């Protein structure tokens, strides 16, 4: 059999495996999705009480991540919809709609009857049709305890001119998912990838769907060639020629029971449309090998279209698995991808020109007074890392790591200019750039990049943000703070602080106040003292003991950490407990 035949057979085998996995996940997810449908219906009954459009000035939106932020196609406004927030005990989902007035630097809340249900990790795109439309597809709803998920496959449009929501019901669309990507390409919405997760299983997608904005019909594309592996959270960018670029993303696979391995993708693909007369577009995949300096491997980055035929990537996180924990390195850097040149390069923030000129003149005068010799500075030593520590009210020390890229290559600058740019970049002064984060929301309007919200982690604590920054992508002189947030004021409830009640589910997802109750932590510790842990067998090595008793320690670790804890974290703790008992049996 020739190479082409082998590839075709391999591709068909992968499709069959994917179809089987999708059926398996669908069966197991059906039960929990049915449970959540009742909760979603209850929220929709509350939304049904809205009978008229009300736009009112309001404070900025509450902290959140995985919402959508889009620039209005005709007005100087940004549109924010949905999102989620986790306070350590409960997950809150939103379907509120906010308008940010750029010129006034103010927010307004827009209440419109019959909105989409609460969701996060959806996708939104705007088109200039009929005064502007905001299209939304998919996303997920999570139970307040974060244990169950409902993945949407619905399509909505917000008519911006008339301020009305409309659900578009058309057959043949993608299956329910979140973490997918959606862009407007000519007169189509193109959707790629994403994932579907239940309490026990998950599946990642690499399929491509198109929704025709004229005929309101779905079609599943079947591009020729080898495309990207299944993934979520990638960069998806349309080109002026009507093609689409895919970069990066994240996926995971199950190695063994309760053990998953994540993959950070760094490959790049072009989805090319080949028009053949009046027939439908034919698409094909091809791999791209860009030049320049690519972003470091990461997930949770935000993307947006940039001026001068470029797209940009902001922030993200790289999780590093250590012996007993998972440590995330968060980013706040910007990378540009030049579509025409197929080239990546890091953004350089130059600093205000007026200040640089004043300092340059001052230093030149000092040099002349010292004999006309100007001080020669060594070249930059690559990216600069700044570590800050913030102490929260409860005494938790949050370490924030910022990475400032080194100077761009191939640009002749004097030593004094390099030093001045480092100072303006925040190495020696007071930086005003957004703190490192993942899952931020970005939008570009009139050449300005706006960054809102997102999150970073400190140990088991998650800090969700609600600040707003902007920077001029033409001048790249400095970040401007439009809305500040002090991370020390972030609410965080430890699991031991209160016991959750099932009756609070609706309040939790709505964002209502919860009543705190005293925990029975001392009683649970007494019960633990009476437990008989698995004994170490004579001559048994530590690794053998850990493997043999893994399920026992997993159960014990889960009871300690609660159902909200991540599986990887629970596994790390379980293994640490097993090793500790092996070395010093109780």
């Amino acid at each position: 059999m020739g190479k082409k035949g082998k590839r075709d057979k391999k591709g068909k085998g992968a499709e069959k495996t994917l179809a089987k996995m999708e059926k398996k996940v669908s069966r197991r997810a059906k039960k929990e999705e049915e449970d959540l449908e009742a909760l979603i219906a209850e929220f929709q009954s509350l939304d049904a009480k809205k009978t008229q459009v009300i736009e009112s000035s309001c404070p900025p939106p509450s902290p959140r991540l995985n919402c959508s932020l889009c620039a209005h196609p005709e007005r100087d406004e940004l549109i924010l919809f949905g999102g989620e927030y986790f306070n350590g005990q409960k997950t809150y989902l939103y379907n509120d709609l906010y308008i940010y007035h750029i010129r006034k630097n103010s927010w307004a809340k827009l209440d419109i009857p019959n909105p989409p249900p609460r969701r996060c990790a959806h996708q939104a795109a705007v088109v200039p049709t009929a005064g502007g439309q905001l299209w939304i597809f998919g996303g997920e709803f999570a139970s307040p305890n974060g244990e169950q998920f409902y993945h949407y496959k619905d399509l909505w449009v917000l008519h911006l001119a008339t301020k009305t929501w409309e659900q578009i019901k058309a057959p043949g669309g993608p299956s329910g998912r979140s973490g997918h990507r959606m862009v407007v390409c000519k007169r189509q919405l193109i959707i790629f990838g994403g994932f579907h997760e239940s309490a026990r299983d998950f599946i990642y997608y690499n399929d491509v769907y198109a929704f025709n904005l004229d005929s309101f019909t779905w079609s599943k594309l079947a591009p020729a060639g080898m495309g990207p592996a299944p993934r979520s959270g990638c960069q998806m960018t349309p080109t002026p020629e009507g093609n689409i670029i895919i970069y990066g993303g994240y996926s995971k696979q199950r190695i063994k029971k309760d053990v998953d391995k994540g993959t950070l993708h760094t490959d790049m693909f072009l989805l090319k449309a080949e028009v053949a007369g009046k027939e439908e577009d034919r698409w094909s995949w091809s791999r791209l090998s860009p030049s320049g300096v690519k972003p470091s491997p990461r997930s949770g980055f935000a993307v947006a279209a940039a001026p001068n035929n470029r797209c940009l990537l902001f922030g993200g996180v790289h999780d590093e698995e250590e012996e007993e924990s998972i440590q995330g390195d968060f980013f706040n850097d910007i990378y540009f991808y030049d579509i025409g040149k197929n080239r990546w390069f890091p953004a350089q923030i130059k600093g205000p020109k007026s200040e640089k000129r004043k300092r340059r003149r001052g230093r030149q005068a000092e040099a002349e007074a010292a004999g006309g010799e100007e001080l020669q500075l060594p070249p930059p030593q690559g990216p600069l890392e700044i570590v800050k520590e913030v102490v929260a009210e409860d005494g938790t020390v949050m370490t924030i790591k910022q990475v400032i890229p080194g100077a761009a290559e191939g640009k002749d600058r004097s030593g004094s200019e390099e030093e001045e740019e480092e100072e303006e970049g925040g190495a020696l002064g007071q930086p005003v750039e957004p703190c490192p984060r993942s899952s931020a929301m970005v939008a570009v309007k009139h050449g300005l990049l706006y960054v809102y919200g997102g999150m970073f982690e400190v140990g088991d604590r998650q800090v969700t943000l609600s600040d707003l920054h902007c920077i001029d992508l033409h001048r790249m002189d400095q970040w401007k703070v439009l809305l500040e947030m002090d991370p020390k004021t972030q609410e965080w409830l430890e699991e031991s602080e209160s016991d959750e009640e099932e009756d609070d589910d609706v309040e939790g997802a709505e964002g209502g106040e919860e009543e705190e109750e005293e925990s029975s932590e001392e009683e649970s510790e007494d019960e633990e003292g009476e437990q008989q842990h698995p004994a170490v067998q004579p001559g048994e090595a530590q690794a053998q003991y850990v493997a043999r008793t893994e399920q026992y320690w997993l159960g014990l670790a889960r009871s300690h950490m609660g159902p909200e804890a991540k599986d990887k974290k629970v596994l790390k703790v379980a293994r640490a407990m097993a090793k500790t008992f092996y070395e010093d049996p109780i």
Side-chain angles (χ1 to χ4, degrees):
M1 183 182 289
K3 291 184 178 179
K4 185 177 184 300
K6 289 182 179 180
R7 284 199 300 267
D8 292 342
K9 187 174 182 181
K10 182 179 179 181
K12 290 179 181 178
E15 289 178 3
K16 290 182 179 178
T17 302
L18 188 64
K20 289 181 180 178
M21 178 60 73
E22 187 168 359
K23 288 182 180 179
K24 181 180 178 182
V25 172
S26 178
R27 284 196 302 268
R28 292 187 174 181
K30 187 176 181 180
K31 174 67 170 61
E32 63 185 61
E33 290 193 343
E34 287 176 352
D35 295 339
L36 290 179
E37 283 177 352
L39 187 57
I40 295 172
E42 188 168 349
F43 290 141
Q44 286 185 294
S45 66
L46 297 176
D47 292 330
K49 297 178 181 179
K50 301 176 182 178
T51 58
Q52 57 182 346
V53 177
I54 300 176
E55 183 172 358
S56 56
S57 299
C58 67
S62 59
R64 64 189 65 196
L65 64 151
N66 291 327
C67 57
S68 57
L69 184 68
C70 298
H72 195 295
E74 296 184 357
R75 299 181 181 179
D76 292 336
E77 298 174 349
L78 304 181
I79 308 166
L80 185 149
F81 173 78
E84 65 175 315
Y85 169 69
F86 179 61
N87 70 353
Q89 291 183 353
K90 287 189 177 181
T91 300
Y92 299 77
L93 275 297
Y94 304 103
N95 67 340
D96 41 14
L97 184 68
Y98 289 91
I99 304 296
Y100 175 70
H101 298 283
I102 294 176
R103 295 183 181 276
K104 299 178 181 179
N105 188 25
S106 63
W107 290 90
K109 188 173 183 180
L110 193 55
D111 287 317
I112 300 176
N114 303 312
R118 289 161 171 78
R119 68 189 63 204
C120 66
H122 55 280
Q123 282 288 279
V126 293
V127 295
T129 304
Q133 296 175 339
L134 174 73
W135 289 84
I136 289 175
F137 174 80
E140 70 181 50
F141 178 89
S143 60
N145 64 6
E147 282 284 288
Q148 295 176 300
F149 303 95
Y150 182 93
H151 294 267
Y152 295 103
K153 58 179 179 180
D154 51 354
L155 179 67
W156 294 77
V157 58
L158 172 63
H159 301 280
L160 298 172
T162 59
K163 294 184 174 61
T164 54
W165 282 109
E166 179 185 3
Q167 183 177 4
I168 307 300
K169 296 181 179 180
S175 57
R177 63 189 64 193
S178 56
H180 52 288
R181 290 296 177 258
M182 180 175 75
V183 296
V184 178
C185 189
K186 296 184 177 178
R187 288 292 297 165
Q188 296 182 107
L189 299 175
I190 307 294
I191 293 176
F192 170 79
F195 71 95
H196 186 289
E197 184 173 13
S198 66
R200 292 187 293 172
D201 295 304
F202 55 83
I203 182 172
Y204 284 77
Y205 301 103
N206 62 347
D207 47 5
V208 187
Y209 284 82
F211 180 79
N212 190 298
L213 292 170
D214 295 317
S215 63
F216 280 26
T217 56
W218 284 106
S219 61
K220 184 176 182 179
L221 307 184
M226 186 66 72
R231 64 192 65 193
S232 68
C234 62
Q235 173 175 338
M236 188 176 184
T237 304
T239 71
E241 297 78 22
N243 303 321
I244 292 173
I245 295 171
I246 300 291
Y247 168 76
Y250 174 83
S251 65
K252 64 181 180 179
Q253 59 183 7
R254 182 145 296 167
I255 302 175
K256 57 181 180 178
K257 187 176 181 180
D258 298 326
V259 180
D260 304 328
K261 181 181 180 182
T263 299
L264 293 176
H265 300 279
T266 58
D267 46 5
M268 200 165 192
F269 293 84
L270 177 69
L271 181 59
K272 188 175 182 180
E274 300 172 354
V275 182
K278 295 183 179 180
E279 299 178 7
E280 292 185 0
D281 291 352
R282 296 178 180 176
W283 299 80
S284 63
W285 286 112
S286 62
R287 190 154 184 160
L288 294 176
S289 298
S291 61
V293 181
K294 291 172 62 176
S296 58
R298 64 187 71 187
S299 63
F301 52 77
V303 298
N308 303 321
N309 197 26
R310 297 169 177 172
C311 59
L312 65 85
L313 178 154
F314 170 81
V317 60
H318 181 269
D319 288 326
E320 297 179 355
E321 294 191 19
E322 300 177 356
E323 184 64 23
E324 304 296 344
S325 64
I326 299 177
Q327 182 66 38
D329 288 331
F330 290 81
F331 303 96
N332 64 345
D333 47 2
I334 299 175
Y335 278 84
F336 288 105
Y337 173 71
D338 191 308
I339 297 175
K341 297 179 180 178
N342 188 27
R343 176 176 175 268
W344 282 103
F345 61 96
Q348 299 299 316
I349 300 178
K350 305 170 185 176
K353 291 184 178 180
S354 59
E355 292 294 325
K356 291 185 357 181
R357 286 172 181 166
K358 288 179 183 178
R359 280 203 297 273
R360 188 180 300 123
R361 284 197 295 267
R363 286 180 181 149
Q364 287 175 348
E366 292 175 4
E368 291 173 1
E373 294 184 1
E374 195 169 341
L375 180 64
Q376 295 297 319
L377 297 175
Q381 299 298 315
L384 177 65
E385 186 177 280
I386 304 175
V387 179
K388 307 176 188 176
E389 288 190 349
V390 178
V391 181
E393 294 178 355
D394 61 0
T396 302
V397 178
M398 296 181 287
T399 302
I400 303 176
K401 184 186 294 183
Q402 293 177 280
V403 179
I404 300 177
E409 298 177 358
K411 204 171 183 180
D412 294 330
R413 297 180 298 176
S414 67
S416 61
E417 287 176 336
E418 289 171 351
E419 180 183 296
E420 287 154 5
E421 289 194 12
E422 285 183 5
E423 290 182 3
E424 291 299 333
L428 303 178
Q430 293 292 330
V432 296
E433 68 268 25
C435 71
R437 66 191 67 195
S438 71
S439 303
M441 283 55 66
V442 298
V444 174
K445 184 71 175 180
H446 298 318
L448 296 179
L449 169 66
Y450 294 86
V451 176
Y452 170 81
M455 59 82 72
F456 64 89
E457 294 175 341
V458 184
D460 292 333
R461 177 171 182 164
Q462 175 177 303
V463 179
T464 307
L465 302 165
S466 60
D467 51 355
L468 180 64
H469 295 72
C470 76
I471 188 170
D472 191 316
L473 295 175
H474 294 288
R475 297 190 297 176
M476 290 301 294
D477 49 359
Q478 63 179 342
W479 283 98
K480 182 178 180 182
V481 183
L482 301 174
L483 175 63
E484 291 183 305
M485 175 191 173
D486 185 357
K488 292 184 294 185
T489 64
Q490 178 72 68
E491 175 192 45
W492 186 257
L493 303 178
E494 297 294 343
E495 185 183 1
S496 60
E497 289 183 12
S498 66
D499 295 330
E500 297 181 51
E501 295 184 0
E502 294 297 327
D503 294 340
D504 292 336
D505 281 359
V506 174
E507 285 189 21
E510 272 192 299
E513 295 292 331
E514 310 96 16
E515 294 184 2
E516 297 188 358
E517 301 176 0
E518 295 182 0
S519 68
S520 56
E521 188 175 352
E522 295 180 359
E523 295 179 8
S524 63
E525 289 178 356
D526 292 338
E527 292 174 2
E528 290 168 19
E530 298 175 1
Q531 284 185 314
Q532 296 297 319
H533 303 305
V536 179
Q537 298 177 358
E540 186 177 30
Q542 185 188 74
Q544 293 174 323
Y545 175 80
V546 172
R548 179 174 62 85
T549 62
E550 181 176 278
Q551 292 302 315
Y552 169 83
W553 294 106
L554 272 172
L556 190 59
R558 176 62 72 184
S559 66
H560 270 278
M561 303 172 70
E564 296 86 1
K566 298 179 180 178
D567 290 342
K568 287 184 179 180
K569 184 68 174 177
V570 175
L571 180 63
K572 293 289 184 182
V573 173
R575 289 175 176 172
M577 294 169 69
K579 291 176 182 179
T580 301
F581 183 82
Y582 176 90
E583 295 169 355
D584 185 20
I586 300 174

